[in-house]
Amino acid sequence: MALPALAARELGPRLQLEQGAPARTTCPRRHSRVEAELAASRPGSVAASVCAGPPRGVSHGFNSSPLLDEPPKASSSLAGALRAPLFALLPRGRRRRMHDLRRRWDLGSLCRALLTRGLAALGHWLKHVLSAVFSKIFSPLASVGNMDEKSNKLLLALVMLFLFAVIVLQYVCPGTECQLLRLQAFSSPVPDPYGSEDESSARFVPRYNFSRGDLLRKVDFDIKGDDLIVFLHIQKTGGTTFGRHLVRNIQLEQPCECRVGQKKCTCHRPGKRETWLFSRFSTGWSCGLHADWTELTSCVPAVVDGKRDARLRPSRNFHYITILRDPVSRYLSEWRHVQRGATWKASLHVCDGRPPTSEELPSCYTGDDWSGCPLKEFMDCPYNLANNRQVRMLSDLTLVGCYNLSVMPEKQRNKVLLESAKSNLKHMAFFGLTEFQRKTQYLFEKTFNMNFISPFTQYNTTRASSVEINEEIQKRIEGLNFLDMELYSFAKDLFLQRYQFMRQKDHQEARRKRQEQRKFLKGRFLQTHFQSQSQGQSQNPSQNLSQNPNPNANQNLTQNVTQSLTQNLTQSSNPNWIQKENRASQKQGPGQEQSESNTSNGTNDYMGSVETWR
């Protein structure tokens, strides 16, 4: 395909002229594309576009033959053919290949250029938008000339502050739940965080009668002494979360040392290389996996003081604590855990110094584990330790012959186990409920006088809550765990009564402190009033005599006020205080005047009573 005749006639002499002048037609090998386009844009410089070479990124060996040999496409006009670069006259297939090669070489630079320009455009747009917003807000406060500079500085400061706040928030609380909780706290503050856990706690009606000693749990736990906290961890009751709180979330003089990648932490007493906590995350499963009450009471003293001589062993107080959970939710959670392959084969179940035999405690499965078992099969096994697990782990199994079911009838055995579990739970130093996390934290802090760093979180969505069961299956689970149902009802009643008792006690203590503060301020006021009155009488004795014909009237009035205050105080304070004041008055020197003692005795008595109350 040849060029049009008109284009050939116009291009022929010029091409010959340019070929005859090598100084003008030869171009350097690294000639820039911009210079080539400028040369091509000049009228009559088609040869310049020929010498411009291939586009940047395309090697010169790609098409080493002169491009004039290729038949160019016909142009619509002569001016277009003269001004267009010769690259546009190539066939479409060759141009596509050259574009692909150029794109392959310049893809990285193209991406960087697009990203840079995009970010610049975005920043420019944000700057204009925010500057417009701030200009409308701060226009009454700033002048028109300095508005742009001030708004830009303010905008930059606010953006930097916002980014810093976001980084700090992500560092402190990386999860989304904590951020949602903070947003809810700012939007709708809760007056009572403990009452928001369960709506039924506000309508709680006690069913059991407990004594004051059962409700008031105040343990004199000295972490620097020899006492020990023992955590009885029942499966699927939230004990793992509570155990982590004990080693990672509690304010101590010497906090527990927890290393990354290790479950156990070192919890030593201040100044001693001895632990104050016996739990999974401090001493490990020293008495077996999920040891029960029977195992811990016989194992913990031997593990802690086993290496010492019996004469050198200190007299320790072992404070047992545990966590309970709703029996149906706990049962479903354990079934889901067994489905995933949990077996708890490492549990020893030691009772009376020996583990149970295979006849006393048969297994519910034959393989390595019971993974994938359906709920019906899990409920049908009569030897399943998940049934009434909480009663069994909190009771003294030696009272019923351990795991030997032939010692006593089943009905009597169940009654003994339930009463033993209730007694042990009531006399424990502390127990909490999974359904009341904040109340559990509050009672633990009041019992042991130890505070946690961050509040507990109530998780209402668990694996057990995701299991959908009908009413028939729920009734069967409750029947299989009827002892646990009775124990949980007892524990919940005792737990909520203890909580209400401690909260009422806190309110009374706060009211008493406010009354003492008011009495103290009142005493300070009376003291300054009496002092100013006595100073005024001593400075102007003649004026007082002239104005008042009875000079003993003011003194009698002051004595009456002080006597009435003294009588009121002596009725509500310690009677031994009067004897102390009489002794102090007898020790006074003979040089003191009687009038000074009469005017100051009432004030001193009042201040002494206030100091005694403080």
Side-chain angles (χ1 to χ4, degrees):
M1 182 176 179
L3 289 169
L6 181 61
R9 285 196 303 268
E10 293 292 336
L11 294 174
R14 295 179 183 179
L15 290 176
Q16 292 177 2
L17 180 61
E18 290 177 3
Q19 289 177 0
R24 294 181 61 184
T25 57
T26 57
C27 301
R29 187 176 183 83
R30 297 181 179 179
H31 200 285
S32 64
R33 188 179 61 180
V34 178
E35 295 178 358
E37 291 180 355
L38 290 175
S41 63
R42 299 191 188 97
S45 59
V46 180
S49 65
V50 175
C51 339
R56 186 176 61 184
V58 181
S59 62
H60 288 267
F62 180 79
N63 190 10
S64 59
S65 61
L67 295 178
L68 287 177
D69 296 341
E70 296 292 334
K73 291 187 177 181
S75 177
S76 60
S77 63
L78 177 62
L82 293 175
R83 291 188 181 93
L86 197 59
F87 179 76
L89 301 178
L90 294 175
R92 182 176 297 177
R94 179 169 295 180
R95 280 185 293 170
R96 185 182 298 111
R97 289 194 298 271
M98 293 181 69
H99 277 298
D100 293 341
L101 185 61
R102 180 181 177 183
R103 189 183 301 112
R104 190 182 306 115
W105 280 90
D106 291 344
L107 184 60
S109 60
L110 181 62
C111 291
R112 288 192 296 271
L114 289 176
L115 182 61
T116 304
R117 292 183 179 182
L119 291 176
L122 180 61
H124 189 68
W125 179 76
L126 287 175
K127 177 182 177 181
H128 278 284
V129 171
L130 294 177
S131 62
V133 173
F134 281 104
S135 63
K136 290 184 177 181
I137 295 176
F138 297 100
S139 57
L141 304 178
S143 61
V144 179
N146 298 329
M147 188 61 209
D148 294 335
E149 183 179 357
K150 291 182 179 180
S151 62
N152 290 336
K153 291 182 179 180
L154 182 61
L155 175 63
L156 180 61
L158 290 177
V159 170
M160 295 298 294
L161 181 62
F162 175 74
L163 293 177
F164 179 74
V166 170
I167 294 173
V168 171
L169 182 62
Q170 289 293 329
Y171 178 77
V172 174
C173 182
T176 57
E177 293 184 1
C178 185
Q179 297 175 7
L180 292 177
L181 288 175
R182 281 173 169 78
L183 291 176
Q184 292 177 1
F186 281 113
S187 61
S188 59
V190 181
D192 188 6
Y194 305 104
S196 62
E197 288 183 348
D198 190 7
E199 296 179 356
S200 62
S201 61
R203 303 185 301 270
F204 169 68
V205 178
R207 295 177 51 191
Y208 299 88
N209 295 324
F210 296 103
S211 63
R212 180 183 174 86
D214 296 334
L215 299 179
L216 180 59
R217 307 302 296 173
K218 191 69 174 180
V219 177
D220 188 13
F221 178 73
D222 185 11
I223 195 172
K224 299 181 180 180
D226 298 320
D227 296 347
L228 192 69
I229 296 178
V230 183
F231 181 37
L232 196 158
H233 187 177
I234 303 175
Q235 288 94 319
K236 312 313 297 179
T237 58
T240 302
T241 303
F242 184 76
R244 289 197 182 102
H245 281 302
L246 292 178
V247 298
R248 299 176 182 269
N249 188 30
I250 198 165
Q251 296 178 0
L252 298 173
E253 180 181 349
Q254 182 177 343
C256 298
E257 297 179 3
C258 301
R259 298 182 180 179
V260 180
Q262 295 183 1
K263 291 185 177 180
K264 292 198 305 181
C265 302
T266 304
C267 299
H268 286 163
R269 305 179 191 272
K272 296 182 181 179
R273 298 188 61 84
E274 184 182 66
T275 184
W276 57 269
L277 177 64
F278 192 94
S279 70
R280 168 189 179 183
F281 294 104
S282 59
T283 58
W285 304 111
S286 301
C287 294
L289 181 63
H290 289 285
D292 54 19
W293 173 274
T294 308
E295 294 176 289
L296 289 177
T297 52
S298 61
C299 172
V300 172
V303 171
V304 176
D305 298 323
K307 298 181 180 180
R308 297 183 181 182
D309 190 3
R311 295 173 296 179
L312 300 178
R313 293 179 183 177
S315 58
R316 301 179 184 273
N317 293 321
F318 297 97
H319 303 291
Y320 288 88
I321 61 175
T322 190
I323 301 292
L324 297 181
R325 188 180 180 183
D326 176 69
V328 177
S329 300
R330 198 212 64 81
Y331 190 85
L332 292 173
S333 181
E334 182 171 347
W335 164 62
R336 293 294 299 271
H337 199 55
V338 169
Q339 269 192 330
R340 297 190 299 270
T343 59
W344 296 296
K345 289 182 178 180
S347 299
L348 302 178
H349 303 295
V350 176
C351 182
D352 272 344
R354 66 175 184 87
T357 62
S358 57
E359 290 79 11
E360 294 175 345
L361 191 60
S363 178
C364 291
Y365 54 91
T366 56
D368 294 335
D369 53 27
W370 209 3
S371 58
C373 72
L375 181 58
K376 186 178 183 304
E377 182 181 350
F378 189 77
M379 293 187 297
D380 290 341
C381 179
Y383 312 107
N384 194 350
L385 292 179
N387 301 335
N388 297 313
R389 180 181 288 276
Q390 298 183 94
V391 170
R392 180 181 58 82
M393 294 188 67
L394 289 175
S395 60
D396 188 1
L397 296 179
T398 58
L399 301 176
V400 294
C402 297
Y403 294 92
N404 188 3
L405 303 180
S406 60
V407 174
M408 60 179 64
E410 182 180 0
K411 187 175 182 180
Q412 182 182 359
R413 175 186 176 88
N414 293 336
K415 183 178 180 181
V416 173
L417 289 177
L418 181 60
E419 293 300 326
S420 176
K422 287 183 179 180
S423 177
N424 293 335
L425 186 69
K426 183 172 65 174
H427 293 94
M428 271 187 176
F430 163 81
F431 74 90
L433 298 182
T434 309
E435 289 75 17
F436 303 96
Q437 290 291 323
R438 295 295 300 274
K439 293 181 175 64
T440 299
Q441 176 185 359
Y442 173 79
L443 288 179
F444 182 87
E445 292 177 347
K446 292 298 180 181
T447 302
F448 290 96
N449 196 19
M450 302 169 71
N451 297 323
F452 291 96
I453 300 173
S454 60
F456 290 7
T457 305
Q458 183 69 47
Y459 296 102
N460 295 322
T461 302
T462 58
R463 292 188 176 95
S465 62
S466 62
V467 180
E468 296 182 358
I469 58 175
N470 52 29
E471 186 177 357
E472 181 181 356
I473 295 178
Q474 183 173 359
K475 288 183 178 179
R476 186 178 179 188
I477 294 175
E478 292 176 357
L480 293 173
N481 297 272
F482 68 99
L483 295 179
D484 278 4
M485 296 293 295
E486 180 67 24
L487 177 65
Y488 184 78
S489 177
F490 173 84
K492 184 177 180 180
D493 194 281
L494 177 58
F495 178 84
L496 293 179
Q497 285 196 45
R498 283 181 177 176
Y499 169 75
Q500 290 183 354
F501 181 80
M502 295 301 296
R503 292 280 287 180
Q504 185 179 6
K505 187 179 178 183
D506 286 347
H507 293 326
Q508 293 176 356
E509 185 70 17
R511 190 183 304 112
R512 186 183 63 84
K513 289 182 179 179
R514 289 195 299 268
Q515 291 177 356
E516 290 180 357
Q517 186 177 10
R518 285 195 293 266
K519 290 180 180 179
F520 175 73
L521 295 177
K522 186 177 180 181
R524 292 289 299 272
F525 173 76
L526 291 176
Q527 182 182 11
T528 54
H529 175 70
F530 290 147
Q531 288 178 356
S532 61
Q533 187 177 7
S534 61
Q535 290 176 0
Q537 290 179 358
S538 60
Q539 290 176 0
N540 300 320
S542 60
Q543 183 179 359
N544 293 335
L545 290 174
S546 62
Q547 293 179 358
N548 192 3
N550 189 5
N552 297 326
N554 293 331
Q555 186 175 359
N556 294 333
L557 179 61
T558 304
Q559 291 179 358
N560 293 333
V561 172
T562 54
Q563 287 177 3
S564 61
L565 288 174
T566 306
Q567 290 176 1
N568 293 331
L569 291 172
T570 53
Q571 291 177 1
S572 59
S573 61
N574 191 359
N576 296 329
W577 167 77
I578 301 175
Q579 298 178 1
K580 295 181 181 179
E581 293 296 329
N582 293 332
R583 294 173 186 173
S585 62
Q586 292 176 3
K587 293 180 180 180
Q588 292 179 352
Q592 296 181 349
E593 297 179 357
Q594 185 67 24
S595 61
E596 183 180 358
S597 63
N598 291 334
T599 55
S600 61
N601 276 340
T603 304
N604 293 333
D605 295 345
Y606 189 89
M607 293 303 299
S609 64
V610 172
E611 294 296 331
T612 304
W613 288 338
R614 292 183 63 189

